[in-house]
Amino acid sequence: MTEGSVTMESMESIYTQTSTAPHEAKLPNNTYWGKFVTGLKTIYSWVSSLVGLLFLLVVYTVIGAFIFRAIEAPHEQLEKKNIIVERKEMIEALVNITKAAQGLNESEMTTDVAKRLTNYELTIYEAYKNGITTISTDHKWNIWTALFYCGTIYTTIGYGHISPATNLGRVLTIIYAAIGIPLALIALADLGKKFTVGLKFVYAFVRQVYYWKCCNRVRTRHRLDITDAEAGTKVANGTEVRPGVKVYFGYEISTEFNIPIFVVAFIIVLYLFLGAGMYTLWEDWTYIEAIYFVFISISTIGFGDVIPAHPKFFLLSSVYVFIGLSLISMSINVAIEFFNQQIGKAKVNLEKARGKAREKAVEKIHDVNRTLTKARDRMHDIGKKRSFEEHEKDSPERQFNNGHNGHKIRHKDSPKGENHKNSPKGENHKVIPKRDNHRDSPESDIHKDSPVT
């Protein structure tokens, strides 16, 4: 090529440089700020996953347990120390009174002992008002009970058997709940969605096995070897192939909560009975008490009248309760989806009924319009006929004929001589002769003056 000419390679290099330059300007990954932003995105994507949420919730629980224990345990120890001191003083006083019983009368001894017992009761009552609900030899705020307390906060169960007694602990409880409850709800919702996908996967697998045994073949619409057409590789688990549909181990699973509601109810009841059997092995409870505790816990009612006496089983108990809460969250979403579907069906049926009613109303309106049109045409014909008859009636010939015929009819229908006798015409006929009338009429004058032909 000559100088000044542009080759295809140079054009491609220029195009690639100009096309990649803006992207490099938008994403400066080689700078410290770009690396910081990329790191934040990575951390956020990991934390927003289910594993990240559960890990964050565990860390949040441990941190809260150490904080509440550090605040409430010294207060508990101080209140119980006062009880122990008061009890020792009372014991010493009783011993001294017993030793000096020979020099005291019965009334003085009774008064002194009653005074000591009253002071001891007041000390216990003050400790109870300050949140001490256990005996002096037990410690309520240890690491296990603190973990249990944190779990009852963000799950909103709140048994009430353990609560902060200091103002600082109460304020921190408000802050801890304001952060922990949304975090727990997000984790529960995500876990409930995973349970939904798991149930659908089990249902698809069981259905595939059933068809394989019945038909000795696998229906390909239940298990798909989904591959990327361009790359020729299989789609990874959790990849969204359609809106609301993801692939798990070759199965297309919908992420919507469209599970039959009776299946979810059966799973929750089964989970309730299995958990009750587990608690009967740990605690000195009857089976009814265990079922009652499990139901009160996973429904977040939390009366606190039945409480586990072994907090060291906190880990297993908390995992069981948390899974139960996830199942409840899933059941609520399934119920919402079920009622939404029913409402949608009701809307469709209502629209169909409204359309049919509209069609029937239109048909009725058309029938009424046709009837009114016929009635209007008939009235118009009657009016035309009546106007024609009136016109015929008002014509001179018709009037003459009608008058002549009417005169005949009147004479025919009336008795003989009565009309002529009683009517004014009859009198006129009697008084005025016809001849005179003819003579006086203008016509007679005309005939008189006219020439005779």
Side-chain angles (χ1 to χ4, degrees), residues 132-212:
I132 304 302
T133 57
T134 58
I135 60 177
S136 59
T137 57
D138 293 336
H139 297 284
K140 182 172 67 173
W141 285 98
N142 53 35
I143 188 62
W144 299 108
T145 55
L147 288 170
F148 195 79
Y149 172 71
C150 292
T152 58
I153 291 176
Y154 57 71
T155 57
T156 68
I157 297 175
Y159 292 111
H161 69 291
I162 179 172
S163 59
T166 62
N167 292 329
L168 180 59
R170 290 167 181 169
V171 172
L172 287 178
T173 299
I174 296 173
I175 299 173
Y176 190 83
I179 300 173
I181 291 175
L183 180 62
L185 290 177
I186 294 172
L188 288 173
D190 200 359
L191 189 60
K193 188 177 292 186
K194 297 298 181 184
F195 283 149
T196 304
V197 173
L199 287 176
K200 288 185 176 181
F201 175 78
V202 172
Y203 175 74
F205 179 77
V206 171
R207 192 174 182 182
Q208 182 190 31
V209 173
Y210 172 77
Y211 279 120
W212 182 75

Coordinates of all heavy atoms in Angstrom, one line a residue, residues 132-212:
I132 N -34.5 -9.3 89.3 CA -33.9 -10.6 89.8 C -35.1 -11.6 90.0 O -35.9 -11.4 90.9 CB -33.2 -10.4 91.1 CG1 -32.1 -9.3 90.9 CG2 -32.5 -11.7 91.6 CD1 -31.1 -9.6 89.8
T133 N -35.1 -12.6 89.1 CA -36.2 -13.6 89.2 C -35.7 -15.0 89.5 O -36.5 -15.9 89.5 CB -36.9 -13.6 87.8 OG1 -36.0 -13.9 86.8 CG2 -37.6 -12.3 87.5
T134 N -34.5 -15.1 89.8 CA -33.9 -16.5 90.2 C -33.4 -16.4 91.6 O -33.2 -15.3 92.2 CB -32.8 -16.9 89.2 OG1 -31.8 -15.9 89.2 CG2 -33.4 -17.0 87.8
I135 N -33.0 -17.6 92.1 CA -32.5 -17.6 93.5 C -31.0 -17.1 93.4 O -30.4 -16.9 92.4 CB -32.5 -19.0 94.0 CG1 -31.7 -20.0 93.1 CG2 -34.0 -19.5 94.1 CD1 -31.6 -21.4 93.7
S136 N -30.5 -16.8 94.6 CA -29.2 -16.1 94.7 C -28.1 -17.0 94.2 O -27.0 -16.5 93.8 CB -29.0 -15.7 96.1 OG -29.0 -16.8 97.0
T137 N -28.2 -18.3 94.2 CA -27.1 -19.1 93.7 C -27.1 -19.3 92.2 O -26.1 -19.9 91.7 CB -27.3 -20.5 94.4 OG1 -28.6 -21.1 94.1 CG2 -27.1 -20.4 95.9
D138 N -28.1 -18.9 91.5 CA -28.2 -19.0 90.1 C -27.9 -17.7 89.4 O -28.2 -16.6 90.0 CB -29.5 -19.5 89.6 CG -29.8 -21.0 90.0 OD1 -28.8 -21.7 90.3 OD2 -31.0 -21.3 90.1
H139 N -27.3 -17.7 88.2 CA -26.9 -16.5 87.5 C -27.8 -16.5 86.2 O -27.6 -17.4 85.3 CB -25.4 -16.5 87.2 CG -24.6 -16.4 88.4 ND1 -24.4 -15.3 89.1 CD2 -23.8 -17.4 89.0 CE1 -23.6 -15.5 90.1 NE2 -23.2 -16.7 90.1
K140 N -28.6 -15.6 86.1 CA -29.5 -15.5 84.9 C -28.7 -15.0 83.7 O -29.0 -15.5 82.6 CB -30.6 -14.5 85.2 CG -31.7 -14.4 84.1 CD -32.9 -13.6 84.5 CE -32.5 -12.2 84.8 NZ -33.8 -11.4 85.1
W141 N -27.8 -14.1 83.8 CA -27.1 -13.5 82.7 C -25.8 -14.2 82.5 O -24.7 -13.6 82.8 CB -27.0 -12.0 82.8 CG -28.3 -11.2 82.6 CD1 -29.1 -10.8 83.6 CD2 -28.8 -10.9 81.4 NE1 -30.2 -10.2 83.0 CE2 -30.0 -10.2 81.6 CE3 -28.4 -11.1 80.0 CZ2 -30.8 -9.7 80.6 CZ3 -29.3 -10.6 79.0 CH2 -30.4 -9.9 79.3
N142 N -25.8 -15.4 81.9 CA -24.6 -16.0 81.5 C -24.6 -16.0 79.9 O -25.5 -15.4 79.3 CB -24.4 -17.5 82.0 CG -25.7 -18.3 81.7 OD1 -26.3 -18.1 80.6 ND2 -26.0 -19.2 82.6
I143 N -23.6 -16.6 79.3 CA -23.4 -16.4 77.9 C -24.6 -17.1 77.1 O -25.0 -16.7 76.1 CB -22.0 -16.9 77.4 CG1 -21.8 -16.6 75.9 CG2 -21.9 -18.4 77.7 CD1 -21.8 -15.2 75.6
W144 N -25.1 -18.3 77.7 CA -26.1 -19.0 77.0 C -27.5 -18.3 77.1 O -28.2 -18.2 76.1 CB -26.2 -20.4 77.6 CG -25.0 -21.2 77.4 CD1 -24.1 -21.6 78.4 CD2 -24.4 -21.7 76.2 NE1 -23.0 -22.3 77.8 CE2 -23.2 -22.4 76.5 CE3 -24.9 -21.7 74.9 CZ2 -22.5 -23.1 75.5 CZ3 -24.1 -22.4 73.9 CH2 -22.9 -23.0 74.3
T145 N -27.8 -17.8 78.2 CA -29.0 -17.1 78.4 C -29.0 -15.8 77.6 O -30.0 -15.3 77.1 CB -29.3 -16.8 79.9 OG1 -28.2 -16.1 80.5 CG2 -29.6 -18.1 80.6
A146 N -27.8 -15.1 77.5 CA -27.7 -13.9 76.7 C -27.9 -14.2 75.2 O -28.6 -13.4 74.5 CB -26.4 -13.3 76.9
L147 N -27.4 -15.3 74.7 CA -27.7 -15.7 73.4 C -29.1 -16.0 73.1 O -29.7 -15.6 72.1 CB -26.8 -16.9 73.0 CG -25.3 -16.7 72.8 CD1 -24.6 -18.1 72.7 CD2 -25.0 -15.9 71.6
F148 N -29.7 -16.6 74.1 CA -31.2 -16.9 74.0 C -32.0 -15.7 74.0 O -33.0 -15.5 73.3 CB -31.6 -17.8 75.2 CG -32.9 -18.5 75.0 CD1 -33.1 -19.6 74.2 CD2 -34.0 -18.0 75.7 CE1 -34.3 -20.2 74.1 CE2 -35.3 -18.6 75.5 CZ -35.4 -19.7 74.7
Y149 N -31.6 -14.7 74.8 CA -32.3 -13.4 74.9 C -32.2 -12.7 73.5 O -33.2 -12.1 73.0 CB -31.7 -12.6 76.0 CG -32.2 -11.2 76.0 CD1 -33.6 -10.9 76.4 CD2 -31.4 -10.1 75.7 CE1 -34.0 -9.6 76.4 CE2 -31.9 -8.8 75.7 CZ -33.2 -8.6 76.1 OH -33.7 -7.3 76.1
C150 N -31.0 -12.7 72.9 CA -30.8 -12.0 71.6 C -31.7 -12.7 70.6 O -32.3 -12.0 69.7 CB -29.4 -12.0 71.2 SG -28.3 -11.0 72.2
G151 N -31.8 -14.0 70.6 CA -32.7 -14.7 69.7 C -34.1 -14.4 69.8 O -34.9 -14.2 68.8
T152 N -34.6 -14.2 71.1 CA -36.0 -13.8 71.3 C -36.3 -12.4 70.9 O -37.4 -12.0 70.7 CB -36.3 -14.0 72.8 OG1 -35.5 -13.2 73.6 CG2 -36.2 -15.4 73.2
I153 N -35.2 -11.5 70.7 CA -35.5 -10.1 70.3 C -35.7 -10.1 68.8 O -36.8 -9.6 68.4 CB -34.3 -9.3 70.7 CG1 -34.2 -9.1 72.2 CG2 -34.4 -7.9 70.0 CD1 -33.0 -8.3 72.7
Y154 N -34.8 -10.5 68.0 CA -34.9 -10.3 66.6 C -35.9 -11.3 65.9 O -36.3 -11.1 64.8 CB -33.6 -10.4 65.8 CG -32.8 -11.6 66.0 CD1 -33.1 -12.8 65.4 CD2 -31.6 -11.6 66.7 CE1 -32.3 -13.9 65.5 CE2 -30.8 -12.7 66.9 CZ -31.2 -13.8 66.3 OH -30.4 -15.0 66.4
T155 N -36.3 -12.4 66.6 CA -37.4 -13.2 66.1 C -38.8 -12.8 66.6 O -39.8 -13.4 66.2 CB -37.2 -14.7 66.5 OG1 -37.1 -14.8 68.0 CG2 -35.9 -15.2 65.9
T156 N -38.8 -11.8 67.4 CA -40.0 -11.2 68.0 C -40.8 -12.2 68.8 O -42.0 -12.0 69.0 CB -40.9 -10.6 66.9 OG1 -41.4 -11.6 66.1 CG2 -40.2 -9.6 66.0
I157 N -40.2 -13.2 69.4 CA -40.9 -14.2 70.2 C -41.1 -13.6 71.6 O -42.2 -13.5 72.1 CB -40.1 -15.5 70.3 CG1 -40.0 -16.2 68.9 CG2 -40.8 -16.5 71.3 CD1 -39.2 -17.4 68.9
G158 N -40.0 -13.2 72.2 CA -40.1 -12.5 73.5 C -40.8 -13.3 74.6 O -41.9 -12.9 75.0
Y159 N -40.1 -14.3 75.1 CA -40.7 -15.1 76.1 C -41.0 -14.3 77.4 O -42.0 -14.5 78.1 CB -39.8 -16.3 76.5 CG -39.7 -17.3 75.3 CD1 -38.5 -17.5 74.6 CD2 -40.8 -18.1 75.0 CE1 -38.5 -18.4 73.6 CE2 -40.7 -19.0 74.0 CZ -39.6 -19.2 73.3 OH -39.5 -20.1 72.3
G160 N -40.1 -13.4 77.7 CA -40.3 -12.5 78.9 C -39.7 -13.1 80.2 O -39.7 -12.4 81.2
H161 N -39.2 -14.3 80.2 CA -38.6 -14.8 81.4 C -37.2 -14.2 81.7 O -36.7 -14.3 82.8 CB -38.4 -16.3 81.3 CG -37.4 -16.8 80.3 ND1 -37.5 -16.6 79.0 CD2 -36.2 -17.4 80.5 CE1 -36.5 -17.1 78.4 NE2 -35.6 -17.6 79.3
I162 N -36.6 -13.6 80.7 CA -35.3 -12.9 80.8 C -35.5 -11.5 80.1 O -35.9 -11.5 79.0 CB -34.2 -13.7 80.3 CG1 -32.8 -12.9 80.4 CG2 -34.4 -14.1 78.8 CD1 -31.6 -13.7 80.1
S163 N -35.2 -10.5 80.9 CA -35.3 -9.1 80.3 C -34.3 -8.2 81.0 O -33.9 -8.5 82.1 CB -36.7 -8.6 80.5 OG -37.0 -8.6 81.9
P164 N -33.9 -7.1 80.4 CA -33.0 -6.2 81.0 C -33.6 -5.4 82.2 O -34.7 -5.0 82.1 CB -32.6 -5.2 79.8 CG -33.7 -5.3 78.9 CD -34.3 -6.6 79.0
A165 N -32.8 -5.2 83.2 CA -33.2 -4.5 84.4 C -32.6 -3.1 84.4 O -33.1 -2.2 85.2 CB -32.8 -5.2 85.6
T166 N -31.6 -2.8 83.7 CA -30.9 -1.5 83.7 C -31.5 -0.6 82.5 O -32.0 -1.1 81.5 CB -29.4 -1.6 83.5 OG1 -29.1 -2.2 82.3 CG2 -28.8 -2.4 84.6
N167 N -31.4 0.7 82.7 CA -31.9 1.6 81.7 C -31.0 1.5 80.4 O -31.5 1.6 79.3 CB -31.8 3.1 82.2 CG -32.9 3.3 83.3 OD1 -33.9 2.7 83.3 ND2 -32.6 4.2 84.2
L168 N -29.7 1.3 80.6 CA -28.8 1.2 79.5 C -29.1 -0.1 78.7 O -29.2 -0.1 77.4 CB -27.4 1.2 79.9 CG -26.3 1.0 78.8 CD1 -26.4 2.1 77.8 CD2 -24.9 0.9 79.4
G169 N -29.4 -1.2 79.4 CA -29.8 -2.4 78.7 C -31.1 -2.3 77.9 O -31.3 -2.8 76.8
R170 N -32.1 -1.5 78.5 CA -33.3 -1.3 77.8 C -33.2 -0.5 76.5 O -33.8 -0.8 75.5 CB -34.3 -0.7 78.7 CG -34.8 -1.6 79.8 CD -35.5 -0.9 80.9 NE -35.9 -1.8 82.0 CZ -36.4 -1.5 83.2 NH1 -36.5 -0.2 83.5 NH2 -36.7 -2.4 84.1
V171 N -32.3 0.6 76.6 CA -32.1 1.4 75.4 C -31.4 0.6 74.3 O -31.7 0.7 73.1 CB -31.3 2.6 75.8 CG1 -30.8 3.4 74.6 CG2 -32.1 3.6 76.7
L172 N -30.4 -0.2 74.7 CA -29.7 -1.0 73.8 C -30.6 -2.1 73.2 O -30.4 -2.5 72.0 CB -28.5 -1.7 74.4 CG -27.3 -0.7 74.7 CD1 -26.2 -1.5 75.4 CD2 -26.8 -0.1 73.4
T173 N -31.6 -2.6 73.9 CA -32.5 -3.5 73.4 C -33.3 -2.9 72.3 O -33.6 -3.6 71.2 CB -33.5 -4.0 74.5 OG1 -32.7 -4.7 75.5 CG2 -34.5 -5.0 74.0
I174 N -33.7 -1.7 72.4 CA -34.5 -1.0 71.4 C -33.6 -0.9 70.1 O -34.1 -1.2 69.0 CB -34.9 0.4 71.8 CG1 -35.9 0.3 73.0 CG2 -35.6 1.2 70.7 CD1 -36.3 1.6 73.6
I175 N -32.4 -0.4 70.3 CA -31.5 -0.3 69.1 C -31.2 -1.7 68.5 O -31.2 -1.8 67.2 CB -30.2 0.4 69.5 CG1 -30.5 1.8 70.1 CG2 -29.2 0.5 68.4 CD1 -29.3 2.5 70.7
Y176 N -31.0 -2.7 69.3 CA -30.7 -4.0 68.8 C -31.8 -4.6 68.0 O -31.7 -5.2 67.0 CB -30.3 -4.9 70.0 CG -29.8 -6.2 69.6 CD1 -28.4 -6.4 69.3 CD2 -30.6 -7.4 69.6 CE1 -27.9 -7.7 69.0 CE2 -30.1 -8.6 69.2 CZ -28.8 -8.7 68.9 OH -28.3 -10.0 68.6
A177 N -33.1 -4.4 68.5 CA -34.3 -4.9 67.8 C -34.5 -4.1 66.5 O -34.9 -4.7 65.5 CB -35.5 -4.7 68.7
A178 N -34.2 -2.8 66.5 CA -34.4 -2.0 65.3 C -33.5 -2.5 64.2 O -33.9 -2.4 63.0 CB -34.2 -0.5 65.6
I179 N -32.4 -3.0 64.5 CA -31.4 -3.5 63.5 C -31.7 -5.0 63.2 O -31.6 -5.5 62.1 CB -30.0 -3.2 63.9 CG1 -29.8 -1.7 64.0 CG2 -29.0 -3.8 62.8 CD1 -28.4 -1.3 64.6
G180 N -31.9 -5.7 64.3 CA -31.9 -7.2 64.2 C -33.2 -7.7 63.5 O -33.2 -8.7 62.8
I181 N -34.4 -7.1 63.8 CA -35.6 -7.6 63.3 C -35.7 -7.5 61.7 O -36.0 -8.5 61.1 CB -36.8 -6.8 63.9 CG1 -36.9 -7.2 65.4 CG2 -38.1 -7.1 63.2 CD1 -38.0 -6.4 66.1
P182 N -35.3 -6.4 61.1 CA -35.3 -6.4 59.6 C -34.3 -7.4 59.1 O -34.6 -8.1 58.1 CB -34.9 -5.0 59.3 CG -35.3 -4.2 60.4 CD -35.0 -5.0 61.6
L183 N -33.1 -7.6 59.7 CA -32.1 -8.5 59.2 C -32.7 -10.0 59.3 O -32.5 -10.8 58.4 CB -30.9 -8.4 60.1 CG -29.7 -9.3 59.7 CD1 -29.2 -9.1 58.3 CD2 -28.6 -9.1 60.7
A184 N -33.4 -10.3 60.4 CA -33.9 -11.6 60.6 C -35.1 -11.8 59.6 O -35.2 -12.9 59.1 CB -34.4 -11.8 62.0
L185 N -35.9 -10.8 59.4 CA -37.0 -11.0 58.4 C -36.5 -11.2 57.0 O -37.1 -12.1 56.3 CB -37.9 -9.7 58.5 CG -38.7 -9.6 59.7 CD1 -39.5 -8.3 59.7 CD2 -39.7 -10.7 60.0
I186 N -35.4 -10.5 56.6 CA -34.9 -10.8 55.3 C -34.3 -12.2 55.2 O -34.5 -12.9 54.2 CB -33.8 -9.7 55.0 CG1 -34.4 -8.3 54.9 CG2 -33.0 -10.1 53.7 CD1 -33.3 -7.2 54.8
A187 N -33.6 -12.6 56.2 CA -33.1 -14.0 56.2 C -34.2 -15.0 56.2 O -34.1 -16.0 55.5 CB -32.2 -14.2 57.4
L188 N -35.2 -14.8 57.0 CA -36.4 -15.7 57.0 C -37.1 -15.8 55.7 O -37.4 -16.9 55.2 CB -37.3 -15.3 58.1 CG -36.9 -15.6 59.5 CD1 -37.9 -15.0 60.5 CD2 -36.7 -17.0 59.8
A189 N -37.2 -14.6 55.0 CA -37.9 -14.6 53.7 C -37.1 -15.4 52.7 O -37.6 -16.1 51.9 CB -38.2 -13.2 53.3
D190 N -35.7 -15.1 52.7 CA -34.9 -15.8 51.7 C -34.8 -17.3 52.0 O -34.9 -18.1 51.1 CB -33.5 -15.2 51.8 CG -32.6 -15.5 50.6 OD1 -33.2 -16.2 49.7 OD2 -31.5 -15.1 50.5
L191 N -34.8 -17.7 53.3 CA -34.8 -19.1 53.6 C -36.1 -19.8 53.3 O -36.1 -20.9 52.8 CB -34.5 -19.3 55.1 CG -34.2 -20.7 55.6 CD1 -33.0 -21.3 54.9 CD2 -34.0 -20.7 57.1
G192 N -37.2 -19.0 53.5 CA -38.5 -19.6 53.1 C -38.6 -19.8 51.6 O -39.2 -20.8 51.1
K193 N -38.0 -18.9 50.8 CA -37.9 -19.1 49.3 C -37.1 -20.3 48.9 O -37.5 -21.1 48.0 CB -37.4 -17.8 48.7 CG -37.5 -17.8 47.2 CD -36.9 -16.5 46.6 CE -37.8 -15.4 46.9 NZ -37.4 -14.1 46.2
K194 N -36.0 -20.5 49.6 CA -35.2 -21.7 49.4 C -35.9 -23.0 49.7 O -35.8 -24.0 49.0 CB -33.9 -21.6 50.2 CG -33.0 -20.5 49.8 CD -32.5 -20.5 48.4 CE -31.6 -19.4 48.0 NZ -31.2 -19.4 46.6
F195 N -36.7 -22.9 50.8 CA -37.5 -24.1 51.1 C -38.6 -24.4 50.1 O -38.8 -25.5 49.7 CB -38.2 -23.9 52.5 CG -37.3 -24.1 53.7 CD1 -37.5 -23.4 54.8 CD2 -36.2 -25.0 53.6 CE1 -36.6 -23.6 55.9 CE2 -35.4 -25.2 54.7 CZ -35.6 -24.5 55.8
T196 N -39.1 -23.3 49.5 CA -40.1 -23.5 48.4 C -39.5 -24.1 47.2 O -40.0 -25.1 46.6 CB -40.7 -22.1 48.0 OG1 -41.2 -21.5 49.2 CG2 -41.7 -22.2 47.0
V197 N -38.3 -23.7 46.8 CA -37.6 -24.3 45.7 C -37.2 -25.7 46.0 O -37.3 -26.6 45.1 CB -36.3 -23.4 45.4 CG1 -35.5 -24.1 44.3 CG2 -36.7 -22.0 44.9
G198 N -36.8 -26.0 47.2 CA -36.5 -27.4 47.6 C -37.7 -28.3 47.5 O -37.5 -29.4 47.1
L199 N -38.8 -27.8 48.0 CA -40.0 -28.6 47.9 C -40.4 -28.9 46.5 O -40.8 -30.0 46.1 CB -41.1 -27.9 48.7 CG -41.1 -27.9 50.2 CD1 -42.2 -27.1 50.8 CD2 -41.1 -29.4 50.8
K200 N -40.3 -27.9 45.7 CA -40.6 -28.1 44.2 C -39.6 -29.0 43.6 O -40.0 -29.9 42.7 CB -40.6 -26.7 43.5 CG -41.8 -25.9 43.9 CD -41.8 -24.6 43.0 CE -43.0 -23.8 43.3 NZ -43.0 -22.5 42.5
F201 N -38.4 -29.0 44.0 CA -37.4 -29.9 43.4 C -37.7 -31.3 43.8 O -37.6 -32.3 43.0 CB -36.0 -29.5 43.9 CG -34.9 -30.5 43.5 CD1 -34.4 -30.4 42.2 CD2 -34.4 -31.4 44.4 CE1 -33.4 -31.3 41.8 CE2 -33.4 -32.3 44.0 CZ -32.9 -32.2 42.7
V202 N -38.0 -31.5 45.1 CA -38.4 -32.9 45.6 C -39.6 -33.4 44.8 O -39.7 -34.5 44.4 CB -38.6 -32.9 47.1 CG1 -39.2 -34.2 47.6 CG2 -37.3 -32.6 47.8
Y203 N -40.6 -32.5 44.7 CA -41.8 -32.9 43.9 C -41.5 -33.3 42.5 O -42.0 -34.3 42.0 CB -42.8 -31.7 44.0 CG -44.1 -32.0 43.2 CD1 -45.0 -32.8 43.7 CD2 -44.3 -31.3 42.0 CE1 -46.2 -33.0 42.9 CE2 -45.4 -31.5 41.2 CZ -46.4 -32.4 41.7 OH -47.5 -32.6 41.0
A204 N -40.6 -32.5 41.8 CA -40.3 -32.8 40.4 C -39.5 -34.1 40.4 O -39.7 -35.0 39.5 CB -39.5 -31.7 39.8
F205 N -38.6 -34.4 41.4 CA -37.8 -35.6 41.4 C -38.7 -36.8 41.6 O -38.6 -37.9 40.9 CB -36.8 -35.5 42.4 CG -35.9 -36.8 42.5 CD1 -34.9 -37.0 41.6 CD2 -36.1 -37.7 43.6 CE1 -34.1 -38.2 41.7 CE2 -35.3 -38.8 43.7 CZ -34.3 -39.1 42.7
V206 N -39.6 -36.7 42.6 CA -40.6 -37.8 42.9 C -41.5 -38.1 41.7 O -41.7 -39.3 41.3 CB -41.4 -37.5 44.1 CG1 -42.5 -38.5 44.3 CG2 -40.5 -37.5 45.4
R207 N -41.9 -37.0 41.0 CA -42.7 -37.2 39.9 C -42.0 -37.9 38.7 O -42.5 -38.7 38.0 CB -43.3 -35.9 39.4 CG -44.4 -35.9 38.4 CD -45.0 -34.6 38.1 NE -46.1 -34.7 37.2 CZ -46.7 -33.6 36.7 NH1 -46.4 -32.4 37.1 NH2 -47.7 -33.8 35.9
Q208 N -40.7 -37.5 38.6 CA -39.9 -38.2 37.5 C -39.7 -39.7 37.8 O -39.9 -40.5 36.9 CB -38.5 -37.5 37.5 CG -37.7 -38.1 36.4 CD -36.3 -37.5 36.5 OE1 -35.8 -37.3 37.6 NE2 -35.6 -37.4 35.3
V209 N -39.4 -40.0 39.1 CA -39.3 -41.4 39.5 C -40.6 -42.2 39.2 O -40.6 -43.3 38.8 CB -38.8 -41.5 40.9 CG1 -38.8 -43.0 41.4 CG2 -37.4 -40.9 41.1
Y210 N -41.7 -41.5 39.6 CA -43.0 -42.2 39.4 C -43.3 -42.5 37.9 O -43.7 -43.6 37.5 CB -44.1 -41.3 39.9 CG -45.5 -41.7 39.6 CD1 -46.1 -42.8 40.3 CD2 -46.2 -41.1 38.6 CE1 -47.4 -43.2 40.0 CE2 -47.5 -41.5 38.3 CZ -48.1 -42.6 39.0 OH -49.3 -43.0 38.7
Y211 N -43.0 -41.5 37.0 CA -43.2 -41.7 35.6 C -42.2 -42.8 35.1 O -42.5 -43.5 34.2 CB -43.0 -40.4 34.8 CG -44.2 -39.5 34.8 CD1 -44.2 -38.3 35.4 CD2 -45.4 -40.0 34.3 CE1 -45.3 -37.5 35.4 CE2 -46.6 -39.2 34.4 CZ -46.5 -37.9 34.9 OH -47.6 -37.1 35.0
W212 N -41.0 -42.8 35.6 CA -40.0 -43.8 35.2 C -40.4 -45.2 35.5 O -40.3 -46.1 34.7 CB -38.6 -43.5 35.8 CG -37.6 -44.4 35.4 CD1 -36.9 -44.4 34.2 CD2 -37.0 -45.5 36.1 NE1 -36.0 -45.4 34.1 CE2 -36.0 -46.1 35.3 CE3 -37.2 -46.0 37.4 CZ2 -35.3 -47.2 35.8 CZ3 -36.5 -47.0 37.9 CH2 -35.5 -47.6 37.0

